[in-house]
Amino acid sequence: MPPHGRRRVSSLAITLSLFCFFASTASAISAVLGIDLGTEYIKTALVKPGIPLEIVLTKDSKRKETAAVAFKPSKSSSTPNVYPERIYGGDALALSARFPRDVYPNLKPLLAQQCQNNDLVATYHGRFPELGMIESKSRGTVGFSSSSFPWMEDPFSVEELLAMEFKNIKANAMTMAGKGSTIKDAVITIPPFYTAEEKRAVVMAADLAGLRVLSLISDGLAVGLNYATSRTFPTVNEGGKPETHLVYDMGAGSASATVLRFQGKTVKDIGKFNKTVQEVQILGSGWDKSLGGDALNQVIVDDMVAKFANTDRMKALGSEAMQFTQHGRTMAKLWKESERLRQVLSANTETQASFEGLYLDDVNFKYKITRAQFEKLSLKYAAKVRSPITLALESAKLSLSDLESVILHGGAVRTPFVQKELEAIIGSAEKIRTNVNSDEAAVFGAAFKAATLSPSFRVKEIRTGDTPGYASGATWTSDGKERQQKLFTPTSTIGAEKQVAFKILQDFTFSLYQQVPNQAGELIDTPVAQIQTNNMSASVKHLEESFGCVAADMSTKFAIRLSPTDGLPEVVRGSVSCEATEKKGGVVDGMKDLFGFGSKKGDQEPLAENGEDSEAPSLSNESETAAATSSPKESATPDPATSDKKIDDKAKEAKKKTQTVYVDFSSEVDGLPQLSEETLGRVRERLDAFDASDRSRVRREETLNTLEGFTYKARDLLEDEGFIAASTESLRTEIEQKFRDASEWLYGDGADASRDALKERLDELRGLVDPVQKRKDEAARRPNALKSLQEALDQVKVMVDVVKQQQEAQSIADEQASSASPAAESAPSAEKPSASSVDDFADLDDDTYTTTSTSTSTASTPTAQPYSSADLTSLVTTRDEVQSWLDSKSAAQAKLSPSDDPVILASDLEAKSRELNKVVMDLLQRQMKKAPKTPPPPPKKEKGGKKAKGGAKGGKGKPPKSVDIEELFKDMPASEREEIENAMKGIRKESSVKEEETGKPEAKEKEQEKLVHEEL
């Protein structure tokens, strides 16, 4: 029995614990996503065990998804609670000319934008005039209502529509990841100019789509992170110089420039070891929200509108340009074509477009433009290319000469005049890097960041430093005055922490803000969060009563940092503290302090990896350093002569200690009102209803496709010879009529039929065809199955003969052994010499194996057991039963016509064959193991050390002869032996085929059992 306090854990318990641990670990491993959220396209990369950094393909096998969602109206769209079909990507954009009111493209610029007095909203409405853009009542942001679905009371928010797009790319990623995978986490790219409201809108959309945002990462940093994954930079600890690069990102919605510093750094690793990591840090960024691919498309659209309004037909109608610029279908056609024209002009000097039925059905319009004309129209945008670079360098306090290179990213950077402007600004084309994937670098960087943050993956260690983009601070009221303190600059590193001291000792409220420029460029303090303390009064009272603190000595501090998730300022902790005098009241306490065993409540300030003090000082108890301290060596071996004096001094010494009480607080989002829990609940319910409707629609389409395919298949079946033989003329006529009716119904009333109606039709047709198809298949399989069964019966017959012959041979061997026993018993006594003629020491070399013990040892020799009568009976009985069953079934089957249902099935024949083979193989496998041969007894030595020539001669005293299959084969004629061997080969072959078909369950069970025994 194990001793008390210790319990013996069984090996089974340990095995089960390990199994549960590894199973839970495996189930915890899930895939993560990197999402490059663009204005025109959304790109996604998947990281999964076995799939490192792979682009998620769309349903059309494209590497990027068009950022658009559409609702396809149907006849039942106006019916309450009937949700329309949702279409995504390029398919959604293709519907814009037909359903301009229900296609929502390029939603990213509208996130968290107020409806009134907003240039971005006005520009978007001009590009898509027929979208039902309305103002949200509770938030004042942009919302959409569709006249196609009047029963939907709540408008669609931009976050809800973006959540649908996120759900679509998540579904594509789940398809790529495979069955059993889970995707919950993602890192999403954002422009460097996103404010708190816009960041929260992205996080909300991802949350509605079932994605947890591990982090938001700026576009430029994502590109730089991807750039660093395949490179190693100079190590600054060893005197290396950091590299400085600029990422110029020009997409559809905006243009930005980000200055990055790349360097290697040696830091402390586990134990006494060091390691070198790579670092990517943002030094500065600049942007222009009005420069991008959409702005260049708008130039072409405006030119087309002007030329179309100047055509003779439009002049004759008296229509002005503004009349058709409000026509949704016309603007959708022009906008879609402008994108194509701009892309063609990047590689060609001229291009053209033709429109049929533009604005009016009988109005055609041809448009032609050259690259020179396009560049002339875009002169004001060419001048804006320099602005983001200038702002970024000013923010980083660097010049163009400090840059190693310029990394280009985004689709709009391929525009020829943009590249010319960049070369002119930088002064050298050699500095422009073209070896970076300008389309996918950001999404790969985001996916790498997601893998870094996820505990399921281990990747190259690259430390990143993102920036908030805007300055932030705190405001509060103290002594009737408004107080303000700046905390972070636009280039502060996200994750940095600072402390703010407040001279307030009762509960109070303070706010965190961001300085965001308005449309006029003026910086405005935009509220981010509001903090309310909850137990300040109780904390102050505790310090007064427990430590004797006075109000004048108390101070309140709050630690505020830039959130690693979204880069917004947030409060980490708060405390109220004071310095209190504490006397050491005894020799024992003095002795503890002297030898280093005193109070350790004072926290020590941790050092950063580079050896410097942490940026944020600790808020916990801190002890002041004593004026006089001894070295470790001295304190370890104190001088006895001076110990008493030091103890007395310590005991009388008054010591200052910082006493801290942490403050409870609550934080609320400030600024743009957030959706209430009730509203969020309705939004989630509507998204779930859309998902359920989509799943139901997919199942209906699958049933419809199956029914259509079945009707086409029937035409081939009615002409198949096997199908004709297995059916009657009347049945084929009925089937043909039913299929004809189903085809007509499908293209008539059945086009909009429900899934249940479609399934009912399909089941009716299958009820006619499946029995005939079954008879046809049985007729094709039955001959081979009968042949196999007959071969099995023949094999059993051979086995019966083998068993009978072995039993006869065993009987003869037993008779010979019994007749030889008396002679074997008398032989030892005749050969035994007299005692007087044997030397006294002759027996010293003899073993215990004497002639008298030979019979005893041979009697215990194991022999192969012959087949028993029960074995023979089992064989004969099984064979007779199967033969009788086969005869009766064959006789009944012979009376049926090919169009009748068979009474003997191929599966039954195969089952009987397996039954016979199993009986034979069980016997063969039991007897094929040869009995172990009996070792011969050691030879007996004669007098003088000579070995005896053997005991019994002529077979006297030998054990009974062992009879097995192989010995029996030796005595058989060659023809019979060959017949039996062929039969055994056939049984083994058929058994192996059956095992392969069934996946070898017995072998698997034995292997699993073996593994379990080894585990235990």
Side-chain angles (χ1 to χ4, degrees):
M1 181 176 180
H4 295 288
R6 297 179 61 187
R7 298 181 62 185
R8 180 177 299 172
V9 182
S10 66
S11 58
L12 177 60
I14 295 175
T15 303
L16 293 175
S17 300
L18 290 174
F19 173 78
C20 294
F21 170 75
F22 288 114
S24 62
T25 303
S27 63
I29 296 177
S30 60
V32 293
L33 293 180
I35 302 175
D36 181 14
L37 178 59
T39 302
E40 185 177 7
Y41 295 101
I42 300 178
K43 293 175 279 291
T44 311
L46 173 71
V47 183
K48 176 182 178 288
I51 305 179
L53 293 178
E54 186 70 23
I55 289 292
V56 176
L57 302 180
T58 67
K59 295 179 180 179
D60 300 331
S61 299
K62 296 180 180 178
R63 297 179 68 86
K64 56 185 178 181
E65 185 78 277
T66 302
V69 58
F71 301 138
K72 187 177 180 180
S74 62
K75 297 178 181 179
S76 56
S77 297
S78 57
T79 304
N81 299 323
V82 176
Y83 290 85
E85 179 182 2
R86 292 180 297 181
I87 302 176
Y88 300 95
D91 294 339
L93 205 60
L95 296 175
S96 58
R98 294 176 54 196
F99 310 107
R101 298 179 181 180
D102 300 303
V103 179
Y104 305 92
N106 301 15
L107 294 170
K108 180 182 174 182
L110 298 180
L111 285 170
Q113 295 297 321
Q114 296 290 320
C115 238
Q116 301 297 328
N117 302 322
N118 194 314
D119 294 341
L120 290 175
V121 176
T123 300
Y124 188 88
H125 184 64
R127 293 170 181 171
F128 310 102
E130 283 204 20
L131 284 178
M133 187 179 295
I134 62 174
E135 182 179 2
S136 173
K137 295 180 181 179
S138 59
R139 306 171 69 199
T141 55
V142 177
F144 295 97
S145 64
S146 175
S147 58
S148 301
F149 319 107
W151 57 271
M152 289 188 183
E153 298 180 0
D154 295 336
F156 293 102
S157 64
V158 179
E159 292 87 347
E160 184 178 0
L161 296 174
L162 184 59
M164 295 181 184
E165 297 182 24
F166 280 157
K167 280 196 171 188
N168 175 54
I169 63 175
K170 180 183 177 182
N172 294 338
M174 290 290 292
T175 302
M176 182 176 178
K179 187 177 181 181
S181 300
T182 57
I183 299 177
K184 297 180 180 179
D185 300 330
V187 170
I188 304 176
T189 65
I190 58 172
F193 54 79
Y194 258 22
T195 62
E197 287 83 1
E198 291 166 315
K199 292 179 178 179
R200 288 169 179 162
V202 173
V203 174
M204 180 192 297
D207 180 66
L208 291 173
L211 290 173
R212 181 171 67 102
V213 177
L214 297 176
S215 175
L216 298 176
I217 183 172
S218 62
D219 294 324
L221 182 60
V223 175
L225 182 56
N226 175 251
Y227 182 79
T229 54
S230 58
R231 291 169 175 83
T232 302
F233 303 98
T235 305
V236 294
N237 307 66
E238 301 173 357
K241 182 181 178 182
E243 295 182 10
T244 305
H245 301 265
L246 184 141
V247 175
Y248 193 87
D249 184 11
M250 186 174 177
S254 61
S256 64
T258 306
V259 180
L260 300 173
R261 181 180 62 203
F262 298 84
Q263 65 182 21
K265 189 175 181 181
T266 302
V267 297
K268 186 178 180 181
D269 199 2
I270 299 174
K272 298 181 179 180
F273 300 97
N274 294 330
K275 62 180 179 179
T276 300
V277 300
Q278 306 300 309
E279 293 184 344
V280 185
Q281 174 69 43
I282 294 181
L283 301 180
S285 56
W287 57 81
D288 190 335
K289 298 181 181 180
S290 63
L291 177 62
D294 283 354
L296 301 181
N297 294 343
Q298 188 66 49
V299 169
I300 299 177
V301 171
D302 292 342
D303 189 51
M304 287 192 292
V305 168
K307 290 183 178 180
F308 181 61
N310 200 33
T311 59
D312 296 337
R313 181 62 188 276
M314 297 303 294
K315 288 181 178 180
L317 293 175
S319 298
E320 297 180 358
M322 286 302 298
Q323 290 178 327
F324 64 84
T325 54
Q326 300 302 315
H327 190 254
R329 294 185 178 182
T330 300
M331 296 307 297
K333 292 179 181 179
L334 296 178
W335 182 259
K336 182 180 178 181
E337 195 65 18
S338 67
E339 172 74 13
R340 186 190 68 82
L341 292 174
R342 181 176 63 83
Q343 293 178 355
V344 172
L345 288 176
S346 297
N348 299 275
T349 57
E350 63 178 24
T351 185
Q352 62 182 4
S354 298
F355 301 91
E356 295 182 0
L358 186 65
Y359 186 54
L360 298 175
D361 294 339
D362 58 344
V363 175
N364 299 328
F365 174 60
K366 289 185 178 181
Y367 176 74
K368 184 177 181 180
I369 186 173
T370 64
R371 183 188 293 180
Q373 292 173 342
F374 172 62
E375 292 178 353
K376 184 178 180 180
L377 295 171
S378 307
L379 285 177
K380 69 174 183 178
Y381 294 107
K384 292 184 176 184
V385 173
R386 179 185 293 269
S387 176
I389 299 177
T390 303
L391 294 174
L393 291 175
E394 290 177 355
S395 177
K397 297 180 176 58
L398 297 174
S399 62
L400 285 170
S401 60
D402 297 323
L403 300 178
E404 302 282 342
S405 69
V406 175
I407 303 171
L408 301 183
H409 188 263
V413 295
R414 299 188 184 95
T415 307
F417 78 83
V418 174
Q419 295 189 354
K420 289 179 182 179
E421 289 293 328
L422 289 173
E423 291 177 6
I425 295 169
I426 298 169
S428 174
E430 296 179 356
K431 279 192 173 184
I432 297 179
R433 294 287 175 91
T434 58
N435 58 347
V436 178
N437 190 332
S438 61
D439 281 331
E440 300 174 353
V443 69
F444 280 134
F448 188 90
K449 179 73 172 179
T452 302
L453 296 176
S454 173
S456 302
F457 305 95
R458 184 177 181 180
V459 296
K460 177 182 178 181
E461 187 169 357
I462 302 177
R463 301 182 179 181
T464 57
D466 210 339
T467 58
Y470 299 104
S472 57
T475 60
W476 68 94
T477 302
S478 177
D479 298 332
K481 297 181 180 180
E482 291 291 333
R483 309 286 183 177
Q484 183 177 18
Q485 181 174 342
K486 291 185 178 181
L487 300 176
F488 303 101
T489 66
T491 57
S492 295
T493 302
I494 287 179
E497 182 178 309
K498 289 189 177 181
Q499 291 188 355
V500 181
F502 299 87
K503 294 183 179 180
I504 303 176
L505 298 180
Q506 63 269 6
D507 288 322
F508 70 104
T509 302
F510 66 96
S511 300
L512 302 177
Y513 67 88
Q514 266 188 344
Q515 289 186 334
V516 180
N518 58 12
Q519 295 185 12
E522 301 173 352
L523 291 177
I524 297 177
D525 294 345
T526 304
V528 174
Q530 191 171 15
I531 314 300
Q532 173 66 52
T533 62
N534 300 324
N535 63 339
M536 279 289 298
S537 301
S539 300
V540 171
K541 184 177 180 181
H542 176 73
L543 289 175
E544 292 175 345
E545 295 178 353
S546 300
F547 303 103
C549 296
V550 295
D553 297 333
M554 296 184 190
S555 63
T556 304
K557 294 181 181 179
F558 279 86
I560 303 174
R561 71 171 180 180
L562 294 174
S563 172
T565 302
D566 53 19
L568 300 179
E570 63 177 2
V571 176
V572 180
R573 59 186 175 275
S575 65
V576 58
S577 61
C578 73
E579 289 187 351
T581 302
E582 180 179 87
K583 286 187 175 292
K584 297 294 182 180
V587 177
V588 175
D589 293 334
M591 182 66 72
K592 288 182 179 180
D593 289 339
L594 178 64
F595 288 99
F597 296 105
S599 176
K600 298 183 180 180
K601 293 182 180 180
D603 290 348
Q604 295 180 350
E605 193 63 35
L607 294 179
E609 289 181 332
N610 56 6
E612 300 177 356
D613 290 344
S614 175
E615 180 179 354
S618 174
L619 294 179
S620 53
N621 300 339
E622 300 175 358
S623 301
E624 295 185 355
T625 305
T629 58
S630 60
S631 66
K633 183 176 181 180
E634 293 173 347
S635 63
T637 56
D639 186 1
T642 59
S643 296
D644 294 339
K645 185 176 182 300
K646 291 182 178 180
I647 292 173
D648 293 340
D649 294 341
K650 278 281 185 179
K652 297 177 182 179
E653 179 184 355
K655 189 176 182 180
K656 291 282 187 178
K657 289 198 64 176
T658 301
Q659 305 295 339
T660 302
V661 177
Y662 289 99
V663 176
D664 180 42
F665 61 91
S666 58
S667 178
E668 294 182 1
V669 175
D670 203 356
L672 181 68
Q674 299 298 298
L675 294 178
S676 63
E677 291 297 328
E678 181 182 358
T679 304
L680 278 175
R682 291 199 301 268
V683 171
R684 294 182 189 277
E685 289 177 359
R686 183 159 64 180
L687 288 174
D688 292 340
F690 267 108
D691 293 340
S693 177
D694 288 344
R695 287 192 297 269
S696 176
R697 186 175 295 104
V698 169
R699 289 195 296 267
R700 179 193 174 278
E701 290 176 354
E702 291 175 352
T703 306
L704 176 62
N705 294 336
T706 303
L707 179 57
E708 288 181 342
F710 202 66
T711 57
Y712 292 129
K713 181 181 177 181
R715 303 172 186 175
D716 299 332
L717 289 176
L718 293 174
E719 298 176 359
D720 184 74
E721 295 181 358
F723 192 87
I724 294 173
S727 61
T728 61
E729 181 67 27
S730 59
L731 180 59
R732 290 195 298 274
T733 302
E734 182 183 1
I735 292 174
E736 184 177 6
Q737 183 60 41
K738 290 288 186 182
F739 274 92
R740 185 182 297 109
D741 296 342
S743 297
E744 294 176 356
W745 178 76
L746 278 176
Y747 295 103
D749 298 336
D752 298 325
S754 64
R755 179 175 180 267
D756 294 337
L758 294 171
K759 192 173 183 301
E760 183 180 355
R761 286 272 183 169
L762 181 61
D763 293 341
E764 181 183 7
L765 297 178
R766 280 179 171 171
L768 296 174
V769 174
D770 287 352
V772 181
Q773 188 67 31
K774 182 179 180 180
R775 291 195 292 268
K776 173 191 170 184
D777 295 339
E778 287 292 332
R781 293 174 55 193
R782 193 180 305 116
N784 290 333
L786 281 171
K787 181 180 178 182
S788 298
L789 180 57
Q790 191 59 50
E791 291 176 353
L793 288 169
D794 294 340
Q795 291 166 3
V796 173
K797 180 180 179 182
V798 173
M799 191 61 191
V800 170
D801 296 338
V802 170
V803 172
K804 289 180 178 179
Q805 292 180 16
Q806 195 221 26
Q807 287 182 345
E808 293 176 359
Q810 188 66 40
S811 299
I812 296 174
D814 291 344
E815 291 177 0
Q816 292 177 353
S818 60
S819 62
S821 296
E825 293 174 358
S826 60
S829 61
E831 295 178 1
K832 184 175 182 181
S834 63
S836 60
S837 61
V838 178
D839 183 63
D840 293 338
F841 300 95
D843 290 337
L844 290 178
D845 294 332
D846 291 344
D847 200 349
T848 55
Y849 292 97
T850 61
T851 52
T852 57
S853 63
T854 303
S855 61
T856 304
S857 62
T858 56
S860 62
T861 302
T863 60
Q865 294 297 326
Y867 291 121
S868 63
S869 299
D871 295 335
L872 181 60
T873 302
S874 175
L875 278 174
V876 174
T877 302
T878 304
R879 181 198 62 185
D880 293 344
E881 289 177 353
V882 172
Q883 186 66 57
S884 176
W885 175 85
L886 179 61
D887 293 341
S888 62
K889 291 291 184 180
S890 298
Q893 183 65 37
K895 299 178 182 179
L896 300 176
S897 66
S899 60
D900 294 329
D901 291 335
V903 296
I904 180 170
L905 302 178
S907 58
D908 296 337
L909 295 171
E910 292 169 355
K912 294 296 182 180
S913 298
R914 288 194 296 270
E915 180 183 353
L916 293 173
N917 290 336
K918 185 177 185 301
V919 173
V920 174
M921 287 304 298
D922 287 346
L923 292 178
L924 288 175
Q925 290 175 357
R926 188 173 64 191
Q927 290 298 326
M928 285 302 292
K929 298 179 180 179
K930 297 178 61 177
K933 295 183 179 179
T934 304
K940 183 181 178 181
K941 291 186 178 180
E942 294 181 348
K943 297 177 183 180
K946 293 183 179 181
K947 295 181 180 180
K949 290 185 178 181
K953 296 181 181 180
K956 295 181 180 180
K958 293 183 178 179
K961 184 177 180 181
S962 176
V963 180
D964 58 16
I965 295 295
E966 293 186 357
E967 293 180 356
L968 184 62
F969 279 1
K970 294 178 182 178
D971 300 332
M972 280 187 178
S975 59
E976 294 184 9
R977 184 167 63 251
E978 182 178 1
E979 182 179 359
I980 294 176
E981 288 177 349
N982 291 335
M984 292 169 64
K985 288 179 181 178
I987 294 174
R988 292 193 192 100
K989 180 178 180 181
E990 187 167 352
S991 299
S992 63
V993 171
K994 297 302 180 183
E995 288 179 353
E996 291 178 359
E997 292 177 353
T998 58
K1000 298 185 178 179
E1002 296 180 358
K1004 289 183 178 178
E1005 290 177 1
K1006 291 180 180 178
E1007 184 66 16
Q1008 292 174 356
E1009 185 179 32
K1010 179 181 177 182
L1011 291 174
V1012 170
H1013 283 295
E1014 290 177 355
E1015 288 273 354
L1016 298 179

